[in-house]
């Protein structure tokens, strides 16, 4: 006979509502420790969510029986109303059709052609680091990641005012969505006060900016061989192109998924490196050796330890720190019955620190990824897993490897004596990462 999942009451949820709004992870951790690796949380009179840090359950839902688990309304409804129905927010046949269409643009051979654009942006943005001054590094990496996506999509054919506005709208919409998700009992107020309407109007403005850029590209009849050209060239099986609305949906998704997670990961990586000078020196030696390669992809292949460092940083601070799914039909996992329509949130943050798999899980140790097979284990999900694994994972890794190697060649990073603070929003964001960058050529 199937067992019910351990339950956490709605009263406990409401008692912790203010702390959950600020940071839900301690609330989840307490419940995991008290209830086990999966528990059911009541968040309304008729609504509940399964929270799980069971890696085998995640593997079951994301890979082994993935056809029975689709993205939940968090993405297909709550996020989609801001960014449309692109890859990140689509389900079923529509998702499969878009994935098949867009996947070729992210093949390694196509990304190879974009690397020089990415490298130029990285050099330009890192030149803004003020040496020997203590400051929050996140805005630098945030601009770097956003402008990298802009360059990969539009080359140089976009003015700074549009870039700034798109970035501002993206971040404001995220903050609004977080309020909606964590304070569902205030949804009436978000409508009544006009806050939601304002956010949706700004999203419409972002779409208008992108439509203008697409019009300009088509009118120019000039090829840049960037992602926009690849998306404009893409054809479905019936030889038709994407509609304008669908193209804008996909571009908005690339802005969100392509810059948000990367800027977070780079910032956490820098914060961790600041606490370990020996790892910095090992990275620097590798980066200097790799500089002998003239081809950027060959250079990236040489930066194996840099790759390990980034993977370990994403283990400790996974940018996508939860993955949501909803069951389509009844299912069975171990002794538990999963009813159709069950909302599930897999805590990647907790899976990545689970003592059943990771030795000294809270310790920053890049050497654990010297065994490359760990990256493909059911305990490691920095880019998701299964057919819906992040389409831009190779692009993100190339960008981060190049950025970290450039930073560490130029600077030694010193920390402020304080714990690494987090701000869990739609993604896991760093908070007040105060670092000092000492130029190596001044030693």
């Amino acid at each position: 006979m199937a067992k019910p999942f351990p339950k956490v009451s709605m009263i406990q949820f409401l008692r912790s509502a203010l702390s959950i709004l600020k940071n839900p992870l301690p609330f989840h951790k307490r419940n995991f420790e008290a209830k086990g690796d999966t528990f059911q949380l009541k968040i309304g009179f008729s609504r509940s969510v399964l929270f799980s840090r069971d890696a085998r359950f995640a593997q079951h839902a994301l890979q082994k029986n993935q056809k029975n688990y689709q993205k939940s309304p968090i993405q297909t409804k709550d996020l989609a109303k801001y960014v449309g129905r692109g890859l990140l927010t689509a389900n079923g046949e529509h998702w499969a059709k878009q994935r098949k269409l867009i996947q070729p643009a992210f093949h390694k051979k196509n990304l190879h052609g974009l690397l020089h654009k990415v490298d130029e942006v990285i050099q330009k943005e890192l030149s803004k680091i003020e040496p020997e001054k203590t400051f929050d590094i996140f805005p630098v990496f945030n601009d770097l990641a956003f402008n990298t996506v802009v360059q990969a999509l539009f080359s140089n054919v976009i003015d700074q005012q549009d870039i700034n506005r798109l970035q501002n709208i993206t971040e404001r919409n995220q903050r609004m969505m977080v309020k909606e998700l964590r304070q569902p009992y205030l949804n009436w107020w978000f409508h009544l006060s006009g806050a939601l309407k304002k956010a949706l109007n700004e999203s419409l403005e972002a779409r208008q900016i992108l439509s203008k850029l697409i019009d300009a590209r088509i009118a120019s009849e000039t090829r840049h061989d960037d992602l926009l050209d690849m998306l404009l060239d893409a054809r479905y099986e019936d030889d038709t192109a994407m509609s304008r609305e669908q193209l804008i949906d996909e571009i908005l998704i690339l802005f969100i998924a392509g810059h948000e997670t990367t800027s977070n990961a780079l910032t956490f990586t820098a914060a961790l490196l600041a606490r370990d000078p020996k790892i910095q020196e090992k990275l620097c030696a590798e980066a200097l050796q790799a500089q002998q390669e003239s081809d950027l992809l060959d250079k990236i292949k040489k930066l194996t330890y840099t790759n390990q460092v980034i993977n370990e940083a994403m283990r400790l601070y996974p940018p996508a720190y939860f993955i949501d799914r909803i069951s389509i039909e009844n299912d069975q996992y171990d002794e538990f019955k999963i009813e159709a329509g069950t909302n599930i949130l897999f805590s990647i943050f907790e899976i990545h620190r689970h003592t059943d798999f990771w030795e000294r899980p809270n310790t920053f140790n890049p050497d654990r990824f010297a065994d490359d097979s760990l990256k493909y284990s059911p305990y490691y999900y920095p880019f998701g897993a299964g057919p819906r694994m992040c389409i831009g994972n190779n692009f993100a890794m190339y960008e981060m490897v190049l950025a970290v190697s450039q930073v560490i060649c130029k600077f030694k990073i010193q920390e402020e004596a304080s714990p690494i603070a987090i701000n869990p929003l739609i993604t896991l964001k760093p908070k007040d990462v105060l670092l000092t960058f000492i130029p190596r050529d001044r030693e």
Side-chain angles (χ1 to χ4, degrees), residues 137-187:
I137 188 61
F138 176 75
V140 172
F141 285 137
N142 195 44
D143 288 348
L144 181 154
F146 195 86
N147 284 307
T148 298
V149 175
V150 168
Q151 185 66 226
L153 273 163
F154 300 112
S155 297
N156 290 314
V157 193
I158 178 172
D159 64 46
Q160 193 61 46
Q161 184 176 351
D162 284 342
I163 293 173
N164 294 342
R165 187 59 183 147
L166 285 169
Q167 189 170 356
N168 183 261
I169 290 171
T170 299
E171 291 168 359
R172 286 169 63 89
N173 280 353
Q174 180 183 148
R175 288 195 292 270
M176 185 67 229
M177 184 177 163
V178 168
K179 288 180 181 178
E180 289 183 88
L181 291 177
R182 294 190 187 163
Q183 295 176 295
Y185 44 86
L186 290 182
N187 279 342

Side-chain angles (χ1 to χ4, degrees), residues 172-329:
R172 286 169 63 89
N173 280 353
Q174 180 183 148
R175 288 195 292 270
M176 185 67 229
M177 184 177 163
V178 168
K179 288 180 181 178
E180 289 183 88
L181 291 177
R182 294 190 187 163
Q183 295 176 295
Y185 44 86
L186 290 182
N187 279 342
W188 64 273
W189 171 247
F190 299 142
H191 283 84
L192 188 63
S193 66
L196 181 58
K197 183 178 179 180
K198 181 180 179 182
L200 293 175
N201 284 339
E202 287 184 326
S203 182
L204 181 60
E205 180 188 346
R207 300 183 73 87
Q208 292 167 346
I209 292 171
L210 293 175
S211 189
K212 178 186 71 174
L213 290 167
I214 295 167
D215 283 338
R217 172 63 60 86
I218 294 171
S220 73
E221 299 183 348
T222 302
R223 285 197 66 84
H224 296 269
D225 291 322
D226 50 21
L227 286 175
L228 179 56
D229 277 344
M230 295 180 203
L231 293 174
L232 286 168
D233 291 343
R235 293 293 182 271
Y236 296 111
E237 290 182 352
D238 62 359
D239 202 37
T240 59
M242 270 188 281
S243 69
R244 175 62 61 91
E245 287 301 302
Q246 188 66 55
L247 179 58
I248 292 173
D249 288 351
E250 300 300 351
I251 291 172
L252 281 171
I253 293 297
L254 289 175
F255 272 124
I256 291 175
H259 104 273
E260 179 92 4
T261 54
T262 302
S263 57
N264 296 350
L266 284 172
T267 304
F268 283 123
T269 301
L272 290 162
L273 288 175
R275 288 154 170 79
D276 201 319
K278 289 183 179 179
I279 292 179
Q280 287 190 56
E281 294 311 304
K282 189 172 178 179
L283 279 176
C284 182
E286 180 182 75
L288 292 172
Q289 185 75 21
Q291 283 182 349
Q292 298 173 15
E293 300 292 338
S294 57
D295 182 86
L296 283 171
L297 191 55
D298 289 339
K299 178 180 178 180
I300 289 168
K301 290 176 181 176
K302 295 279 188 181
L303 295 168
T304 55
Y305 188 67
T306 309
N307 196 292
Q308 289 173 218
V309 165
I310 294 167
N311 275 292
E312 174 68 346
M314 289 194 296
R315 182 189 68 81
L316 283 167
Y317 298 100
Y321 65 106
F322 68 86
I323 294 177
D324 63 295
R325 288 292 184 268
I326 186 167
S327 57
I328 301 171
E329 298 177 353

Side-chain angles (χ1 to χ4, degrees), residues 68-97:
N68 190 52
Y69 294 87
Q70 62 184 13
K71 295 214 166 185
S72 79
I74 291 175
Q75 294 195 52
T76 61
K77 181 180 175 184
D78 299 319
L79 179 58
K81 71 173 180 273
Y82 294 109
V83 298
R85 296 180 68 235
L87 271 181
L88 188 65
T89 57
N91 267 325
E93 290 183 10
H94 178 61
W95 167 82
K97 184 179 178 182

Side-chain angles (χ1 to χ4, degrees), residues 81-122:
K81 71 173 180 273
Y82 294 109
V83 298
R85 296 180 68 235
L87 271 181
L88 188 65
T89 57
N91 267 325
E93 290 183 10
H94 178 61
W95 167 82
K97 184 179 178 182
Q98 289 305 113
R99 180 86 182 201
K100 185 176 181 180
L101 180 76
I102 296 169
Q103 183 80 54
F106 289 90
H107 286 165
K108 290 183 179 181
K109 64 176 182 177
N110 289 329
L111 295 182
H112 192 188
L114 294 173
L115 284 179
H116 71 281
K117 298 177 187 284
V118 171
D119 196 52
E120 287 173 4
V121 174
I122 291 171

